[in-house]
Amino acid sequence: MDSLPVSPEAGPAARLLIVDDEVNLRLSMAEILRQRGYEVEEASSGVEALAWLERATFDLMVLDMVMPGLSGVEVMRRARQLRPDVLIIVLTAHATVDSAIAAVKLNVTDFLLKPCHVADLTLTISHTLQERARQLRRQNLVNMVSEAMAALQQTAVADETLPIPAVLPPPAPAGQLICVGPLTLDAQKRLATLAGEPARSVELTEGEVSVLLALMERPNQVLSCNQLANTALGYEGMDKWTVESVIRSCVFRLRQKIEPTPDSPRLICTVRGRGYFFSPA
């Protein structure tokens, strides 16, 4: 979607498309929504709605299911092809099992029955747009954290002689070697070796070494994401959600590297709601 879909109260007005063959109802809805600060276009048929979608971007479409010509279900199918991200709220006086199933399959946001009070419709639209905005903000933050970590790791690999930024952990002491259960960690060489026939060694990043070392030094002791972020990575003052995202991402990568079966980890174990611990058994 080209624009961030938010409610008028939270920022720039969202663009809405009202599709209904009942003239008075459509005009009334459109006018009230414009008064709420939305940018609103109208269509009296499915064909007209698709024409709008071909030439313009909309955040949300309110769609009547029963109209002359193209059915609401067909309009939804074609709308998904034209604008996959457009939010759709179905408004109909003739709900059927088939139409409800089609709405679910086509990822319709809500399904309102006529007669629908305009206050209920505006509230549904506002909540829908606000939820989409929250999802986008969360995803953008996850992407930013992931990209920042990847960039730092690439920089460390490209030139290990460069000074490490303050937000990264200091390098492990020279010659530090720790063996717990089947795993041996050489912090200086950033190598983790899993005992077996044959033994298997993998290279780790500085951040992965620090988190793994913190866990292996305290076997069977549960460490929270916040404790790992502060102790192992030196991250302080970060919000809870960001800390958890960073640590969970690091634990995921460690499991992919050292666990024989990453989907069923037996070395780095999770205690739901509390954190992680290293199991030497």
Side-chain angles (χ1 to χ4, degrees), residues 3 31 48-49 58 81 85 95 99 105 112 122 165 171 185 190 201 209 238 249 261 268 273:
S3 59
E31 181 57 30
E48 188 178 352
F58 292 90
Q81 295 173 355
D85 293 332
S99 64
K105 288 182 177 179
L112 303 178
T122 55
L185 174 64
R190 299 203 316 262
S201 295
V209 168
M238 298 177 67
S249 175
T261 52
I268 302 178

Side-chain angles (χ1 to χ4, degrees), residues 180 211-212 214-225 228 251 255 258-259 265-272 274-281:
V180 182
V211 170
L212 184 56
L215 290 167
M216 292 178 69
E217 286 178 335
R218 305 166 182 81
N220 293 317
Q221 179 179 336
V222 179
L223 299 180
S224 69
C225 290
L228 286 169
V251 168
R255 283 173 171 168
I258 69 174
E259 295 280 2
R266 60 183 180 85
L267 296 175
I268 302 178
C269 303
T270 302
V271 178
R272 191 173 298 278
R274 293 187 58 194
Y276 303 96
F277 70 93
F278 187 86
S279 175

Side-chain angles (χ1 to χ4, degrees), residues 150-160 162:
L152 290 170
Q153 291 166 9
Q154 290 173 1
T155 301
V157 171
D159 189 350
E160 295 181 0
L162 292 176

Side-chain angles (χ1 to χ4, degrees), residues 11-279:
R15 285 177 52 80
L16 311 183
L17 178 60
I18 308 300
V19 188
D20 200 311
D21 63 323
E22 296 183 37
V23 178
N24 292 335
L25 178 60
R26 186 180 71 250
L27 292 175
S28 176
M29 285 192 297
E31 181 57 30
I32 291 174
L33 291 169
R34 290 189 184 103
Q35 291 176 8
R36 297 291 192 277
Y38 296 105
E39 295 181 18
V40 183
E41 301 295 346
E42 305 170 39
S44 60
S45 67
V47 172
E48 188 178 352
L50 294 175
W52 267 114
L53 291 172
E54 285 179 347
R55 64 178 181 265
T57 299
F58 292 90
D59 298 289
L60 183 145
M61 176 172 65
V62 179
L63 175 66
D64 184 15
M65 288 290 283
V66 180
M67 295 179 292
L70 290 178
S71 68
V73 172
E74 183 61 25
V75 174
M76 284 192 295
R77 288 198 183 102
R78 297 192 190 182
R80 279 283 169 255
Q81 295 173 355
L82 291 169
R83 302 290 180 182
D85 293 332
V86 69
L87 300 167
I88 300 176
I89 295 177
V90 166
L91 187 63
T92 182
H94 306 283
T96 65
V97 174
D98 289 341
S99 64
I101 292 174
V104 171
K105 288 182 177 179
L106 292 165
N107 197 27
V108 167
T109 303
D110 217 324
F111 200 101
L112 303 178
L113 298 180
K114 291 181 178 180
C116 175
H117 196 281
V118 71
D120 294 331
L121 177 61
T122 55
L123 186 61
T124 299
I125 290 173
S126 177
H127 285 175
T128 298
L129 294 171
Q130 288 177 11
E131 178 58 28
R132 170 65 68 83
R134 283 192 291 269
Q135 292 174 0
L136 289 179
R137 284 194 293 268
R138 286 195 294 267
Q139 187 58 51
N140 287 339
L141 183 54
V142 169
N143 293 341
M144 289 172 59
V145 170
S146 299
E147 290 172 1
M149 291 181 65
L152 290 170
Q153 291 166 9
Q154 290 173 1
T155 301
V157 171
D159 189 350
E160 295 181 0
T161 64
L162 292 176
I164 298 175
V167 295
L168 288 180
Q176 188 164 357
L177 192 71
I178 182 170
C179 299
V180 182
L183 192 69
T184 300
L185 174 64
D186 187 328
Q188 182 184 22
K189 296 180 180 178
R190 299 203 316 262
L191 287 177
T193 302
L194 186 65
E197 293 295 337
R200 180 171 61 89
S201 295
V202 293
E203 185 175 354
L204 307 178
T205 66
E206 290 290 353
E208 291 164 356
V209 168
S210 296
V211 170
L212 184 56
L213 183 61
L215 290 167
M216 292 178 69
E217 286 178 335
R218 305 166 182 81
N220 293 317
Q221 179 179 336
V222 179
L223 299 180
S224 69
C225 290
N226 191 56
Q227 287 174 317
L228 286 169
N230 290 339
T231 303
L233 301 180
Y235 289 4
E236 296 182 1
M238 298 177 67
D239 64 274
K240 179 176 180 290
W241 188 88
T242 303
V243 165
E244 290 180 353
S245 297
V246 171
I247 296 301
R248 286 172 180 168
S249 175
C250 186
V251 168
F252 174 82
R253 295 194 308 275
L254 280 170
R255 283 173 171 168
Q256 296 300 312
K257 292 182 177 182
I258 69 174
E259 295 280 2
T261 52
D263 292 337
S264 302
R266 60 183 180 85
L267 296 175
I268 302 178
C269 303
T270 302
V271 178
R272 191 173 298 278
R274 293 187 58 194
Y276 303 96
F277 70 93
F278 187 86
S279 175

